[in-house]
Amino acid sequence: MLNMIEGEVRFQEALEKGRTLTKTYRTYPYRILQASVMLRGIDYGFSDKEGMFFRTTIQTDAQLVSPYEVRVNVTYGFRSREFDKRTDATIQYTLLLQQVYSP
């Protein structure tokens, strides 16, 4: 069985380096055979006084914690020369799970 879960993480505005947020999904009684995560979209913002040149780093990763649990990690960083820009972002993703019923 293929299961698709749509999710999102919200990075609050802060002055710090790139950050990682994690969400965990538990699927009992469906055992996970394979997990993959796809980036669906991003909504980000910055002020005009901080400049028009920027670089954004976004990474998504799905890790199997157990046969019934998967962890999604989303890393986000926004910078000009260093990760030093105040930003906020909503990063959307789709988690794809190949599962079997296994109580």
Side-chain angles (χ1 to χ4, degrees):
M1 163 176 91
L2 182 64
N3 188 10
M4 293 176 38
I5 300 171
E6 294 184 356
E8 69 180 34
V9 292
R10 174 92 175 128
F11 290 85
Q12 298 297 325
E13 182 174 330
L15 184 60
E16 60 183 79
K17 298 183 183 285
R19 295 164 282 171
T20 300
L21 295 180
T22 300
K23 277 194 173 180
T24 302
Y25 295 89
R26 292 175 179 83
T27 62
Y28 186 82
Y30 294 93
R31 191 164 56 89
I32 303 167
L33 301 176
Q34 188 175 8
S36 182
V37 65
M38 299 181 312
L39 184 64
R40 287 196 301 123
I42 180 171
D43 176 17
Y44 61 91
F46 59 95
S47 71
D48 291 337
K49 71 176 186 167
E50 291 179 325
M52 55 187 275
F53 300 105
F54 62 88
R55 180 179 181 121
T56 303
T57 300
I58 305 166
Q59 295 175 332
T60 57
D61 177 41
Q63 298 174 331
L64 288 178
V65 178
S66 75
Y68 301 100
E69 189 173 359
V70 64
R71 181 178 299 136
V72 173
N73 298 309
V74 179
T75 301
Y76 171 71
F78 190 77
R79 65 191 177 101
S80 56
R81 291 189 186 110
E82 298 178 15
F83 286 103
D84 60 355
K85 295 291 186 184
R86 287 188 180 273
T87 62
D88 67 333
T90 300
I91 298 176
Q92 301 166 335
Y93 60 87
T94 299
L95 176 63
L96 300 173
L97 300 174
Q98 183 181 1
Q99 299 175 291
V100 294
Y101 182 73
S102 180

